Amino acid sequence: MSPDTQQWTPIHGQPYRPAAYRPEQMPSTQSLARAAELRTRMDERRTVRHFFPDPVPEQVVRDAVACAATAPSGAHQQPWTFVLVKDPEVRRQIRAAAEQEEQLSYDGRLGEEWLAALRPIGTDAVKTHLTDAPALIVVFQQRYWLGEDGTKHKHYYVDESVGIAVGMLLSALHLSGLAALIHTPSPMRFLSQVLDRPENEKAFAVIPVGYPSPDCEVPDLVRKSLDQVMIEV
């Protein structure tokens, strides 16, 4: 049975059932080469705000979402929903609502300290990427799930679980040749309304996906070095 035909059902309350896990050990030379290649390729990843409107292969996006859905989660409850938005009218509605919230934020709701942090990035309230990109992935976190009898069951470590999944999604998209960015308009309640999501889901991020435009520019930024982010003990 392929992964796409397997149907997950809640395992809440079921006894522990171990399964053998015996992956083949990769030779160290191959592991070193693959890690170096991955480090180089991921260092090329940039957040893109200027997209080419041409469509992208939908299966690439689906496979990237499937990769994201392999992320670890609290109690393996997988508290995420990925909504792929291709309809231009729906993307227009999302942009209009997002820009309305963003304008309020840039007009003072964010506060001067946050605005000062954003200035080197070059962002503003205009979010052309929401309609220029041929697709949006709107990620929702599921705060709880409903049993067959309608009872609510809490999910655990929801923020951490969904955050890891989104990181894996961005990596999968980049390694598949697509560009993306994380957009988090605040507040994001309008996304639940526009996309008609159930009460247990809360919007986490909007991710435009596509190819960079021919005149794409990104901020001239430098990432922290390995020595600045890792301590060995």
Side-chain angles (χ1 to χ4, degrees), residues 19-83:
Y21 181 63
R22 306 289 187 271
E24 183 178 350
Q25 183 171 334
M26 183 181 296
S28 59
T29 53
Q30 182 180 355
S31 181
L32 286 165
R34 185 170 295 183
E37 179 188 8
L38 181 60
R39 179 177 178 178
T40 298
R41 292 194 63 190
M42 290 306 297
D43 193 50
E44 296 169 350
R45 188 205 63 78
R46 295 301 305 266
T47 292
V48 168
R49 291 180 172 82
H50 305 284
F51 287 91
F52 199 58
D54 280 13
V56 298
E58 289 185 15
Q59 190 57 44
V60 172
V61 179
R62 293 190 184 99
D63 285 341
V65 171
C67 288
T70 68
S73 60
H76 190 57
Q77 293 181 329
Q78 306 164 86
W80 43 63
T81 301
F82 302 88
V83 180

Side-chain angles (χ1 to χ4, degrees), residues 101-156:
E101 295 294 349
E102 291 286 303
Q103 191 62 59
L104 292 173
S105 295
Y106 279 89
D107 284 345
R109 187 167 60 185
L110 290 178
E112 178 54 32
E113 185 174 0
W114 183 218
L115 290 173
L118 287 174
R119 287 190 188 106
I121 312 298
T123 61
D124 56 30
V126 180
K127 305 301 177 183
T128 56
H129 49 262
L130 295 175
T131 48
D132 288 348
L136 304 177
I137 301 173
V138 184
V139 185
F140 289 86
Q141 51 181 201
Q142 301 170 5
R143 309 308 300 182
Y144 59 88
W145 60 277
L146 295 175
E148 292 183 357
D149 59 355
T151 56
K152 293 182 179 180
H153 299 274
K154 181 180 178 181
H155 282 312
Y156 299 93

Side-chain angles (χ1 to χ4, degrees), residues 7-17 73-78 145 153 155:
Q7 293 298 313
W8 175 86
T9 55
I11 58 174
H12 184 79
Q14 294 183 13
Y16 171 62
R17 295 184 302 171
S73 60
H76 190 57
Q77 293 181 329
Q78 306 164 86
W145 60 277
H153 299 274
H155 282 312

Side-chain angles (χ1 to χ4, degrees), residues 206-219:
V206 183
I207 305 176
V209 178
Y211 298 114
S213 66
D215 58 350
C216 179
E217 294 181 341
V218 296

